[in-house]
Amino acid sequence: MLNRLSHTQLLRYAGLFTWAVVGIPLIILAWNFQAEGEADGPAPGPVLALSYLAFGVIYWLVTRSLGMRKPRPTDIVLLGLLTLSAIAVSYLTGTGIAAVLMMTIAGVIPWLVPLKVGVMWLVLQHVALVPVFTRLEGFTLELAIMQALLYVGYSSFAMVIGLVAKQQAQAREEQRRLNAELRATRALLAESSRMSERVRISRELHDLLGHHLTALSLNLEVAGHLTEGKAQEHVRQSHTLAKLLLTDVREAVSEMRQEGSVDLSGAIRTLADGVPALDIRLDVPEPLNVEDPECAHVALRCAQEIITNAVRHAGASTLWLSVSREAGQLRIQARDDGAGTDTVSPGNGLGGMRERLAHCGGRMDIITGRGKGFALDIRMPLEKPA
């Protein structure tokens, strides 16, 4: 069963299990306080229960979409509340039990904040436990600091495990995306090969069989003038059959050339299916036939770059991608719900798209704004410009 869970799911359920187990000593502690009737000291109560339950709920929320999208400001706020609830548990119980909860937080930190910020966060949240340790019997300030440093070491190990899990998840997603691109390219190559083979066969039929049938028809026509009687009748019938056969060959050649187009829809759908971290709302007619293999290749590369940018740079969770034929043009419309930007500085990806489109006579319009996502409108002619 565990083999079926992803890195993020394992991390999430392990943290929730730790949180549930921590609740056992809290219940025992509350029972002892009630049984002994101690009024002095930090007796557990409703605030403690609320802090403990808040930790579980916040942990569930903050780990709900780990690795599925880029961290948002709300995730940082939830991480702060998660830390505060753990510290509150320690202050209310007068124990270092929050250090165990902080180990679960340490496994989540690499997913939400940069590594340098995460290390500072890890240290500071344990600094807050030093006053709690000083309240314990026999603990001086030096011992309290040493105890906090000891828990920092444990949490650092958990943080490294979370960092490795994040890197493994990113590597798996990148491999899945590259495999999808490879399958899409292979599908397009298969379509292009099929089209090239049909054109080659039609050319061979036209050049060889058509040439010989034409010569045969001419010879039979001459023979019809040179023969008489029943022989002439058979020659004329053979001439008629040769002309019909030549007509059939020409029709077959024309049909094969007309059907020599690349179906782009299958390749694009294969490309979109390999990106589970992004919700791609695809609108592509079936079939989407493109006569020019080079134009189909450029369209596939544009769709590939659009998906890659949405995953890596836009921080988007949803991408709307539409590919259609309009008035002799192939049109690609894309829009995501990412952060957007006020100033667009095309990098290698967008620059490469412009170069490919310019080569086949196409163009690309960019529509974006801060907080408005990123949108592209691409148009390219289905026939090569003269």
Side-chain angles (χ1 to χ4, degrees), residues 325-339:
R325 295 173 61 118
E326 295 181 5
Q329 289 184 328
L330 186 68
R331 187 176 185 184
I332 302 177
Q333 295 173 287
R335 177 175 60 87
D336 62 46
D337 61 351

Side-chain angles (χ1 to χ4, degrees), residues 139-375:
F139 268 75
T140 62
L141 178 61
E142 291 78 8
L143 287 176
I145 294 176
M146 291 179 61
Q147 185 73 9
L149 288 175
L150 179 66
Y151 284 123
V152 168
Y154 293 149
S155 295
S156 298
F157 182 74
M159 184 175 178
V160 171
I161 293 176
L163 180 62
V164 171
K166 177 186 176 183
Q167 292 174 345
Q168 289 291 327
Q170 290 176 341
R172 178 183 294 181
E173 293 300 325
E174 182 69 11
Q175 183 181 22
R176 187 176 299 175
R177 186 182 63 83
L178 292 176
N179 286 337
E181 293 177 3
L182 181 61
R183 290 197 304 271
T185 303
R186 185 176 60 185
L188 186 61
L189 180 61
E191 287 287 326
S192 300
S193 299
R194 179 187 63 82
M195 175 181 173
S196 299
E197 186 65 15
R198 292 180 69 92
V199 172
R200 187 190 67 80
I201 294 173
S202 66
R203 188 183 297 117
E204 294 294 328
L205 287 175
H206 179 271
D207 294 344
L208 297 179
L209 190 57
H211 173 73
H212 293 313
L213 287 174
T214 301
L216 177 61
S217 179
L218 291 174
N219 284 320
L220 288 174
E221 185 177 357
V222 173
H225 293 294
L226 299 177
T227 56
E228 296 179 353
K230 291 185 177 181
Q232 186 183 49
E233 182 180 350
H234 287 293
V235 169
R236 287 180 177 177
Q237 289 179 356
S238 299
H239 184 218
T240 303
L241 291 174
K243 290 172 65 177
L244 290 174
L245 183 57
L246 181 60
T247 302
D248 291 341
V249 168
R250 288 173 176 170
E251 290 179 354
V253 168
S254 299
E255 184 177 351
M256 291 182 71
R257 286 185 177 273
Q258 290 175 358
E259 293 181 358
S261 59
V262 178
D263 184 7
L264 192 58
S265 60
I268 293 180
R269 292 188 184 279
T270 301
L271 191 66
D273 291 340
V275 191
L278 184 66
D279 182 15
I280 302 178
R281 310 288 177 85
L282 202 58
D283 182 15
V284 180
E286 290 188 5
L288 180 60
N289 293 323
V290 179
E291 289 72 18
D292 185 3
E294 185 177 354
C295 177
H297 182 263
V298 171
L300 182 65
R301 287 292 170 257
C302 288
Q304 173 184 325
E305 190 62 35
I306 288 170
I307 294 174
T308 301
N309 286 342
V311 173
R312 289 183 176 178
H313 307 300
S317 59
T318 306
L319 172 66
W320 292 266
L321 182 60
S322 172
V323 186
S324 60
R325 295 173 61 118
E326 295 181 5
Q329 289 184 328
L330 186 68
R331 187 176 185 184
I332 302 177
Q333 295 173 287
R335 177 175 60 87
D336 62 46
D337 61 351
T341 179
D342 292 330
T343 58
V344 179
S345 53
N348 293 330
L350 292 177
M353 289 172 63
R354 287 190 185 277
E355 292 172 1
R356 291 177 184 272
L357 291 169
H359 182 70
C360 64
R363 63 182 179 86
M364 176 178 67
D365 297 324
I366 300 176
I367 306 99
T368 185
R370 186 172 298 278
K372 298 179 180 179
F374 196 87

